[in-house]
């Protein structure tokens, strides 16, 4: 028996729009002797937030509507943006025997195909325009084509999003003191209400972040330690340091707004702080999927490094250079993965510095690339001495969100240098 899969959202909670999607999937499944399997995100939602209703309860809600099986996607959404997690999820479904994909949308499949073609042609699925209606469905279709799969797409007309919205349903319950209001009863299946009431009574709803751990890290971590966390760039780290102390979620959201993070990237950054996800962890995860042919060429780690080197060497403004690199598919073969940087050490610091000491790189409050390390119990901080071209390159790498940079003290003819390793 083959599989038909229906995915619309995180099903948090399951509402009548999801019920309609499942019923349409069942109609196709019955005609073609297939079964309906729903994949649910587990851990964090596709928008990088904790779930209102946990995985087990959402699974119960879906099974109550007659779905044959529920599977999960795990460990992705506190580590990766959608342009990386979608091909990974698609690959998992295809490997597990999925032949059809069903989703709801307010636009036709032909329109989805038309809008997706630009991204398919470029092989780049980052930066789906915000004004696109059903851009997530466009992304799924485009990446399915990229993977060369024969997954067949089915589109079901979605219900009114202004009413049938998981976000609005969740907020209505919260605003009503964690009692399901009458308007929500009209929007969700009876079985969903029963499971929701059970979970609320058990204290399982809503799911929460570990704010104490987030406050602790944002209040105490050095610039060097914050630099290691994925999705934090130099500007943001300096804003975090500058705005301490954090005692409430709003103060944390405010610091990311000042750093020009949108809501989705803010949720992802907060999740990486909460789970202490490092840039190395994200990079290694990406590379593991690169080796399986899942990540598009223009999104590969080396391609991001090459772009940083190209932009750093270009005479064009950074935005224009970046666009030229992407649109013309420029090949770079000489991006350095190691750089030797000079240090500004005092005589005393030079005496106690030794070859082989690991250093943390960070961007100081004046925007200069610096290092910190310990030797003989003393903490040493100093700026790096580098040509402007290499400074620009390193700044792009350090602001890339997921490529780590590491430093090691190296004995030079006169004094010491830092050998900086990219990636």
């Amino acid at each position: 028996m083959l599989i038909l899969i229906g995915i619309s959202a995180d099903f948090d909670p399951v509402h009548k729009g999801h019920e309609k999607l499942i019923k349409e999937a069942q109609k196709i499944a019955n005609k073609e002797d297939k079964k309906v399997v729903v994949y649910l995100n587990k851990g964090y939602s596709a928008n990088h937030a904790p779930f209102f209703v946990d995985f087990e309860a959402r699974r119960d809600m879906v099974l109550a509507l007659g779905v044959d099986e529920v599977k999960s996607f795990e460990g992705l959404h506190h580590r990766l943006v959608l342009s990386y997690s979608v091909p990974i999820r698609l690959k998992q479904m295809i490997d597990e025997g999925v032949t059809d994909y069903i989703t709801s949308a307010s636009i036709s499949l032909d329109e989805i195909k038309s809008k997706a073609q630009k991204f398919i042609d470029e092989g780049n699925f980052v930066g789906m325009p915000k004004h696109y209606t059903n851009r997530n469905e466009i992304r799924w279709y485009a990446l399915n084509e990229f993977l060369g799969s024969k997954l067949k797409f089915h589109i079901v007309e979605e219900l009114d999003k202004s009413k049938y919205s998981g976000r609005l349903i969740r907020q209505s319950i919260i605003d009503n003191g964690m009692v399901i209001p009458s308007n929500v009863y009209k929007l969700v299946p009876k079985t969903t209400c029963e499971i929701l009431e059970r979970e609320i009574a058990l204290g399982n709803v809503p799911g929460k972040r570990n704010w104490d751990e987030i406050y602790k890290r944002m209040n105490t971590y050095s610039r060097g330690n914050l630099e290691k966390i994925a999705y934090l760039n130099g500007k943001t780290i300096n804003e975090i340091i500058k705005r301490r102390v954090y005692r409430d979620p709003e103060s944390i959201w405010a610091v990311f707004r000042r750093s020009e993070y949108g809501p989705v990237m803010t949720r992802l950054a907060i999740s990486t702080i909460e789970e202490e996800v490092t840039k190395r962890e994200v990079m290694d995860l990406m590379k593991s999927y690169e080796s399986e042919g899942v990540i598009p060429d223009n999104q590969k780690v080396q391609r991001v490094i090459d772009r940083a080197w190209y932009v750093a060497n270009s005479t064009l403004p950074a935005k224009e250079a970046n666009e030229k690199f992407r649109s013309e598919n420029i090949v770079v073969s000489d991006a350095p993965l190691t750089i030797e940087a000079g240090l500004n050490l005092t005589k005393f610091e030079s005496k106690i510095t030794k070859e082989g000491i690991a250093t943390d790189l960070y961007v100081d409050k004046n925007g200069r690339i610096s290092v910190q390390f310990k030797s003989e119990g003393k903490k040493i901080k100093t700026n790096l001495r580098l040509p402007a071209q290499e400074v620009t390159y390193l700044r792009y790498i350090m602001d890339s969100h997921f490529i780590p940079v590491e430093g090691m003290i190296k004995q030079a003819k006169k004094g010491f240098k830092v050998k900086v390793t990219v990636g």
Side-chain angles (χ1 to χ4, degrees):
M1 184 177 285
L2 299 177
I3 294 173
L4 173 74
I5 176 171
I7 294 183
S8 172
D10 289 310
F11 294 85
D12 189 30
V14 172
H15 55 62
K16 288 187 177 178
H18 301 135
E19 182 180 38
K20 177 185 177 183
L21 184 65
I22 289 168
K23 284 181 177 178
E24 292 299 320
Q26 288 167 331
K27 288 179 186 177
I28 301 170
N30 291 337
K31 286 181 184 177
E32 301 182 10
D33 191 28
K34 297 181 179 182
K35 65 178 181 178
V36 178
V37 178
V38 168
Y39 282 73
L40 294 177
N41 293 318
K42 191 174 183 180
Y44 288 80
S45 74
N47 283 321
H48 320 297
F51 283 105
F52 185 71
V53 182
D54 68 21
F55 174 80
E56 288 72 19
R58 286 182 291 122
R59 179 188 60 200
D60 292 347
M61 291 174 185
V62 172
L63 290 173
L65 296 179
V67 165
D68 295 294
E69 190 176 354
V70 175
K71 294 193 175 189
S72 66
F73 296 124
E74 298 184 45
L76 297 176
H77 295 121
H78 63 294
R79 294 186 175 101
L80 300 171
V81 295
L82 283 173
S83 52
Y84 287 87
S85 70
V86 170
I88 294 168
R89 286 182 279 166
L90 273 167
K91 177 71 160 48
Q92 179 180 334
M93 291 189 292
I94 294 163
D95 288 348
E96 292 179 354
V98 171
T99 59
D100 299 71
Y101 175 88
I102 185 165
T103 188
S104 59
S106 61
I107 60 177
S108 68
L109 181 56
D110 285 343
E111 191 172 348
I112 288 172
K113 290 179 179 179
S114 176
K115 283 188 164 60
Q117 195 59 49
K118 170 181 179 289
F119 301 95
I120 297 167
D121 291 342
E122 291 181 357
N124 188 352
F125 306 92
V126 177
M128 192 73 63
K130 291 182 179 179
H131 68 272
Y132 273 16
T133 302
N134 297 119
R135 60 180 177 154
N136 195 45
E137 285 68 35
I138 295 167
R139 181 184 285 110
W140 277 79
Y141 180 84
L143 282 160
N144 182 63
E145 291 296 301
F146 158 74
L147 289 174
S149 86
K150 296 180 180 179
L151 204 65
K152 185 178 179 182
F153 269 63
H154 305 266
I155 300 298
V156 175
E157 185 178 357
E158 67 184 2
L159 298 182
D160 184 356
K161 270 191 171 181
S162 66
K163 289 169 56 180
Y164 295 92
S165 158
R167 180 179 60 82
L168 295 177
I169 290 169
R170 296 190 295 270
Q171 195 59 52
S172 294
I173 296 171
I174 292 169
D175 291 345
N176 200 44
M178 296 310 299
V179 175
I180 301 174
S182 58
N183 67 302
V184 169
Y185 278 102
K186 299 174 185 177
L187 303 175
V188 302
K190 181 182 177 183
T191 48
T192 291
C193 277
E194 292 169 352
I195 295 166
L196 263 177
E197 287 171 340
R198 179 193 77 195
E199 293 300 301
I200 291 170
L202 291 170
N204 295 336
V205 176
K208 295 180 175 66
R209 289 192 182 276
N210 186 347
W211 286 110
D212 287 343
E213 202 61 45
I214 296 167
Y215 299 146
K216 177 183 173 184
R217 289 173 182 150
M218 289 186 67
N219 285 328
T220 64
Y221 275 21
S222 67
R223 284 182 174 85
N225 284 331
L226 288 170
E227 175 63 43
K228 294 173 185 175
I229 295 179
Y231 304 103
L232 299 184
N233 60 30
K235 178 181 178 181
T236 305
I237 292 166
N238 280 309
E239 283 290 335
I240 289 171
I241 300 288
K242 181 180 177 182
R243 306 289 173 179
R244 287 171 172 170
V245 175
Y246 302 98
R247 297 189 181 92
D248 58 82
E250 178 52 38
S251 64
I252 290 176
W253 274 82
V255 83
F256 284 103
R257 282 197 298 270
R258 291 188 185 98
S259 301
E260 299 176 347
Y261 280 46
V264 174
M265 279 303 297
T266 296
R267 286 191 292 268
L268 178 55
I270 293 172
S271 297
T272 59
I273 294 169
E274 181 177 7
E275 298 291 340
E276 205 165 14
V277 178
T278 65
K279 290 176 180 175
R280 175 158 297 284
E281 180 182 343
V282 173
M283 184 190 71
D284 288 346
L285 182 64
M286 288 178 177
K287 284 187 172 182
S288 72
Y289 284 107
E290 284 179 17
S291 67
E292 297 179 27
V294 176
I295 304 300
D297 286 345
N298 281 331
Q299 294 174 210
K300 289 181 177 179
V301 171
Q302 186 58 50
R303 192 66 176 157
V304 176
I305 293 171
D306 291 345
R307 182 178 61 199
W309 184 243
Y310 174 78
V311 174
N313 284 274
S314 176
T315 57
L316 295 171
K319 187 175 181 181
E320 291 180 29
N322 183 60
E323 177 58 30
K324 182 179 175 70
F325 178 86
R326 186 182 63 81
S327 62
E328 298 182 14
N329 201 25
I330 290 171
V331 176
V332 173
S333 59
D334 59 344
L337 297 182
T338 59
I339 290 174
E340 290 190 4
L343 296 171
N344 295 307
L345 299 175
T346 66
K347 287 184 179 180
F348 172 73
E349 289 171 342
S350 295
K351 285 180 180 179
I352 64 172
T353 297
K354 296 178 178 64
E355 183 163 2
I357 296 175
T359 70
D360 291 334
L361 274 74
Y362 65 93
V363 178
D364 75 8
K365 63 183 179 181
N366 297 312
R368 295 174 297 192
I369 300 177
S370 305
V371 293
Q372 65 180 35
F373 58 95
K374 281 187 176 180
S375 184
E376 297 187 9
K378 302 291 184 181
K379 183 183 286 187
I380 298 172
K381 294 183 179 182
T382 182
N383 301 132
L384 295 187
R385 287 191 282 109
L386 285 166
Q389 170 194 35
E390 293 181 354
V391 170
T392 304
Y393 170 58
L394 277 183
R395 274 304 303 267
Y396 281 127
I397 293 294
M398 293 172 74
D399 289 346
S400 69
H401 286 162
F402 55 79
I403 298 177
V405 291
E406 297 171 350
M408 188 73 72
I409 297 294
K410 179 181 178 182
Q411 183 81 50
K413 288 183 179 179
K414 291 184 178 180
F416 295 92
K417 291 186 174 182
V418 172
K419 181 179 179 182
V420 179
T421 303
V422 174

